[in-house]
């Protein structure tokens, strides 16, 4: 009886959330019903994921910050010469983070900030979340325990392996050792299911950039920066894969050479401007910066960037999607958009990187969300798409 009652309530709560979202209602009443229905699902044990986002500053906060910067420059101008004053940086906003919860209904994600639920339900919210977290942790621990289960070796098996190695040693006449090592997984954490990866297990930074050129022209760019490796030890610069696309969806992508003595930054050029991207780890958090290297007219340009850090709330063995082919090669997938697909194709734009042990090849879609490429010993058509909170991989052999 209790189960039937819960199912009826869940159906009612989900219908409220879908209706309010689909009609874009933005009234105090609709917000109350949305939050109430969301909390009702959580209280009934409905599965959810969390992610951490930077809190965007309000217009009022930005105006106050810019006013403070203007006053500071004006005061500084009385003591410094004109050129020195021009080099003074703007007052940077204080970066604040908030947790955002996401539930999946009919393969679509619906979100709400944790602070809003706490403000409405206080200790009741904390109690529900703590109860759900304990249940979720039990499931994850069970999955991890399977991964770490040691292999049992018997003496007879070891003898057979030694004999086989001795017999096969003479057959190796061609050096097939990879000349470039494959990117390692972090085996402390479970692997993603093949062909899928949850949004809350990605790690990357996004920079929404506005460039003001010397003639007053303004252009917008979006940069997405991934750490290549899962090692979070502090380092002043680390290997990265960087993607930048402009307002016309022209895509530029680059990856640092990944050698110990190689340059770690990535330089990406458009017709009007060239950017340099760098990444670093500090206190187990990944940071990245995007700066202007030069412009086409060789005149100074101003760059403004609204930055977001996407931190995984559920760790897996990689920060991005990886697929291993039957021939031992790897396909690495870096989506350009998150939780939404292209309206025409139904697929998500992405950058692909193939590792074959000898080189790493990058592929961009430039607005076309389908890739035709050679991978895993055959020519294939490859695409990815979001379904609810998960990224899915599509792969077909070309006829």
């Amino acid at each position: 009886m209790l189960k039937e009652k819960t199912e009826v309530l869940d159906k009612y709560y989900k219908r409220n959330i879908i209706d309010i979202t689909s009609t874009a209602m933005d009234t105090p009443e609709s917000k109350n019903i949305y939050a109430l229905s969301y909390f009702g699902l959580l209280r009934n044990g409905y599965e959810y994921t969390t992610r951490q986002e930077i809190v965007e500053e309000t217009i009022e906060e930005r105006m106050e910050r810019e006013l403070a910067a203007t006053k500071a420059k004006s005061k500084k101008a009385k003591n410094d010469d004109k050129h020195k004053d021009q080099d003074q940086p703007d007052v940077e906003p204080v970066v604040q983070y908030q947790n955002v919860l996401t539930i999946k209904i009919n393969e679509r994600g619906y979100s709400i900030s944790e602070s809003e639920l706490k403000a409405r339900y206080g200790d009741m919210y904390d109690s529900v979340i703590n109860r759900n977290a304990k249940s979720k942790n039990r499931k994850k621990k069970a999955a991890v325990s399977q991964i770490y289960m040691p292999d049992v070796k018997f003496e007879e098996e070891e003898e057979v392996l030694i004999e086989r190695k001795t017999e096969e040693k003479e057959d190796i006449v061609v050096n097939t050792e990879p000349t470039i090592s494959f990117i390692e997984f972090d085996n402390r954490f479970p692997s993603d299911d093949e062909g899928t990866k949850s949004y809350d297990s990605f790690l990357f930074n996004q920079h929404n950039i506005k460039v003001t050129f010397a003639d007053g022209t303004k252009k917008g760019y979006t940069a997405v920066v991934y750490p290549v490796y899962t090692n979070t030890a502090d380092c002043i610069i680390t290997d990265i894969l960087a993607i930048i696309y402009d307002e016309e969806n022209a895509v530029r992508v680059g990856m640092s050479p990944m050698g110990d003595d190689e340059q770690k930054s990535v330089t990406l050029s458009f017709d009007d401007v060239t950017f340099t991207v760098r990444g670093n780890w500090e206190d187990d958090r990944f940071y990245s910066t995007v700066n202007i290297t030069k412009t086409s007219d060789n005149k100074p340009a101003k760059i403004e960037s609204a930055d977001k850090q996407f931190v995984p709330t559920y760790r897996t063995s990689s920060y991005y999607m990886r697929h291993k082919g039957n021939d031992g090669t790897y396909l690495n997938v870096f989506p350009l958009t998150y939780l939404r697909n292209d309206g025409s194709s139904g697929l998500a734009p992405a950058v692909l990187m193939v590792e074959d042990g000898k080189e790493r090849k990058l592929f961009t879609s430039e607005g076309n969300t389908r890739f035709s490429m050679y991978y895993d010993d055959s020519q294939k058509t490859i695409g990815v798409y979001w379904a609810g909170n998960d990224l899915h991989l599509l792969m077909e052999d070309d006829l």
Side-chain angles (χ1 to χ4, degrees):
M1 185 69 180
L2 179 60
K3 182 179 179 181
E4 293 177 356
K5 182 179 179 181
T6 300
E7 290 176 350
V8 172
L9 285 173
D10 282 356
K11 187 175 181 180
Y12 169 74
Y13 293 144
K14 287 189 283 188
R15 174 49 56 190
N16 286 341
I17 291 173
I18 293 172
D19 288 345
I20 291 172
T21 303
S22 62
T23 55
M25 295 176 64
D26 190 22
T27 64
E29 293 79 9
S30 64
K31 290 181 179 179
N32 286 337
I33 295 173
Y34 186 93
L36 175 63
S37 300
Y38 212 103
F39 182 70
L41 289 174
L42 296 178
R43 186 177 53 197
N44 288 345
Y46 201 86
E47 290 190 5
Y48 67 94
T49 58
T50 58
R51 67 181 185 275
Q52 196 175 57
E53 288 186 354
I54 293 178
V55 180
E56 299 283 356
E57 65 177 348
T58 64
I59 296 176
E60 292 78 8
E61 290 171 338
R62 180 173 182 175
M63 292 176 64
E64 290 180 4
R65 177 170 59 83
E66 292 178 347
L67 179 61
T70 302
K71 289 181 178 179
K73 285 185 177 181
S74 177
K75 184 176 180 180
K76 190 69 176 176
K78 297 179 181 179
N79 302 316
D80 295 343
D81 61 291
K82 181 179 180 181
H83 296 290
K84 193 172 182 180
D85 175 61
Q86 290 177 346
D87 292 336
Q88 296 299 316
D90 292 340
V91 176
E92 295 294 333
V94 177
V95 179
Q96 296 180 337
Y97 299 92
Q98 68 174 358
N99 289 331
V100 176
L101 280 67
T102 300
I103 60 175
K104 186 160 50 174
I105 304 175
N106 297 334
E107 299 302 324
R108 178 179 175 182
Y110 297 86
S111 300
I112 192 171
S113 67
E114 184 180 60
S115 59
E116 182 174 349
L117 291 175
K118 279 190 174 182
R120 292 174 182 271
Y121 302 106
D123 293 340
M124 290 176 60
Y125 168 80
D126 291 332
S127 176
V128 168
I129 290 300
N130 289 335
R131 183 196 66 196
N132 291 349
K134 289 179 180 179
S135 174
K136 192 172 184 180
N137 285 336
R138 283 195 295 268
K139 294 179 181 178
K140 289 183 179 179
K141 287 180 180 179
V144 172
S145 66
Q146 295 176 3
I147 292 171
Y148 286 104
M149 184 175 293
D151 294 327
V152 179
K153 295 183 179 180
F154 299 95
E155 294 181 359
E156 293 82 1
E157 292 178 345
E158 292 179 352
E159 292 176 359
V160 171
L161 288 174
I162 293 173
E163 291 175 0
R164 287 178 180 172
K165 288 182 179 178
T166 303
E167 293 172 357
E168 296 174 356
K169 187 174 181 180
E170 296 179 355
D171 295 334
I172 302 175
V173 293
V174 179
N175 181 16
T176 59
E177 289 296 320
T179 57
I180 299 178
S181 61
F182 292 106
I183 298 171
E184 294 183 356
F185 290 92
D186 191 337
N187 292 322
R188 296 175 301 168
F189 301 97
S191 300
D192 297 296
D193 292 337
E194 183 175 356
T196 64
K197 186 170 180 64
S198 174
Y199 172 82
D200 59 5
S201 64
F202 279 87
L203 186 149
F204 61 95
N205 293 340
Q206 180 173 303
H207 306 265
N208 296 316
I209 298 166
K210 182 176 71 176
V211 175
T212 304
F213 294 91
D215 62 359
T217 303
K218 297 182 179 181
K219 290 189 176 182
Y221 303 85
T222 300
V224 181
V225 187
Y226 284 87
V228 176
Y229 296 118
T230 56
N231 185 2
T232 63
D234 285 5
C235 61
I236 58 174
I237 190 165
T238 189
D239 288 298
I240 59 172
L241 183 138
I243 308 162
I244 301 181
Y245 56 95
D246 64 12
E247 295 167 319
E248 297 178 354
N249 290 324
V251 180
R252 303 290 185 269
V253 59
M255 183 173 57
S256 50
M258 298 169 60
D260 292 338
D261 299 324
E262 301 285 353
Q263 177 69 32
K264 303 293 185 182
S265 60
V266 173
T267 300
L268 302 174
S269 297
F270 291 81
D271 292 339
D272 299 320
V273 63
T274 298
F275 299 99
T276 297
V277 188
R278 294 181 176 86
N280 70 283
W281 287 97
E282 183 178 349
D283 296 331
D284 291 330
R285 186 177 287 274
F286 175 67
Y287 296 90
S288 55
T289 59
V290 182
N291 294 299
I292 295 176
T293 305
K294 65 178 181 179
T295 58
S296 58
D297 58 7
N298 292 319
K299 294 182 180 180
K302 180 181 179 181
I303 183 171
E304 298 176 82
S305 180
D307 306 331
K308 292 183 179 181
Q309 289 180 310
F310 292 80
V311 181
T313 55
Y314 174 57
R315 283 294 308 273
T316 63
S317 59
S318 177
Y319 293 137
Y320 41 87
M321 176 184 280
R322 303 191 71 190
H323 176 273
K324 185 176 183 180
N326 294 322
D327 62 352
T329 58
Y330 283 92
L331 176 70
N332 303 278
V333 181
F334 306 86
L336 273 66
T337 59
Y338 296 87
L339 301 179
R340 61 186 176 89
N341 301 313
D342 178 76
S344 300
S345 67
L347 301 174
V351 167
L352 307 183
M353 185 258 285
V354 175
E355 301 174 87
D356 61 8
K358 298 178 181 178
E359 59 181 339
R360 300 183 180 99
K361 298 179 182 178
L362 293 172
F363 299 84
T364 60
S365 56
E366 285 280 351
N368 177 16
T369 51
R370 295 182 186 274
F371 296 81
S372 180
M373 55 190 290
Y374 191 85
Y375 169 66
D376 195 15
D377 281 338
S378 66
Q379 190 71 21
K380 288 181 170 60
T381 297
I382 298 174
V384 295
Y385 67 95
W386 291 98
N389 206 43
D390 297 326
L391 184 69
H392 295 262
L393 177 66
L394 286 175
M395 191 179 305
E396 298 177 351
D397 288 319
D398 289 348
L399 300 178

